Amino acid sequence: MDELQIGNQIFYVGLVSLKRAFRFDEKYRVTVESGQIRREIRGIYTDYVLEIGDIDQDQYDLLIETITAAEESQTVTLPYGRNGTLTFRAAFENISDGISYIDEDAAGNDIYFWDNLTITFTAFTPTKGEGG
């Protein structure tokens, strides 16, 4: 994955790790008298955890501003399946990174270089089921 698309903005990122999890939302779950469990699934949501490595620092700053915008959710496109992608509404949560090194500019001011960005994408729209 070289491109991360959020809304209409494309970020060129170095992929360290991309994990996905399938979250089931149930209308109900009951255990009937025989002991058998019955449930009705409302939707299945695909959540992702992305760890980014190599990225241009200007792109990095723009990406941080994009994912920390005070919006309920944003549209994101991520890999899904063997050859496709999934576009869905997601909230960005559990965002973390760290300083990889500190340099100085010509005036002696510190310049911070951030790296190891990890983002959790929590889906707001189901991949399967109602609305998916």
Side-chain angles (χ1 to χ4, degrees):
M1 181 173 123
D2 297 319
E3 295 179 359
L4 168 62
Q5 184 172 348
I6 301 174
N8 295 323
Q9 182 72 39
I10 294 177
F11 299 93
Y12 298 95
V13 301
L15 174 67
V16 173
S17 171
L18 180 64
K19 297 178 183 178
R20 65 182 177 178
F22 299 96
R23 181 171 35 96
F24 290 73
D25 180 39
E26 300 172 334
K27 287 183 182 181
Y28 67 86
R29 175 187 285 250
V30 297
T31 304
V32 297
E33 229 174 272
S34 68
Q36 187 175 18
I37 295 174
R38 302 267 188 212
R39 70 178 182 164
E40 184 177 345
I41 296 172
R42 180 177 329 200
I44 302 169
Y45 299 79
T46 306
D47 300 330
Y48 288 83
V49 177
L50 171 64
E51 186 178 348
I52 295 171
D54 186 33
I55 182 173
D56 174 80
Q57 287 296 298
D58 290 332
Q59 283 267 297
Y60 193 95
D61 290 344
L62 181 58
L63 177 56
I64 289 293
E65 292 306 311
T66 300
I67 63 177
T68 60
E71 296 183 33
E72 179 183 60
S73 65
Q74 296 185 52
T75 301
V76 63
T77 301
L78 292 169
Y80 186 85
R82 182 172 259 186
N83 296 313
T85 59
L86 177 65
T87 300
F88 60 102
R89 299 288 299 173
F92 308 124
E93 302 176 312
N94 302 320
I95 301 166
S96 65
D97 62 2
I99 291 178
S100 58
Y101 67 96
I102 303 171
D103 204 354
E104 284 187 1
D105 64 13
N109 299 313
D110 286 339
I111 301 172
Y112 303 102
F113 292 87
W114 295 85
D115 202 358
N116 300 316
L117 176 62
T118 301
I119 310 163
T120 299
F121 298 89
T122 302
F124 272 37
T125 53
T127 308
K128 299 176 182 177
E130 294 178 13

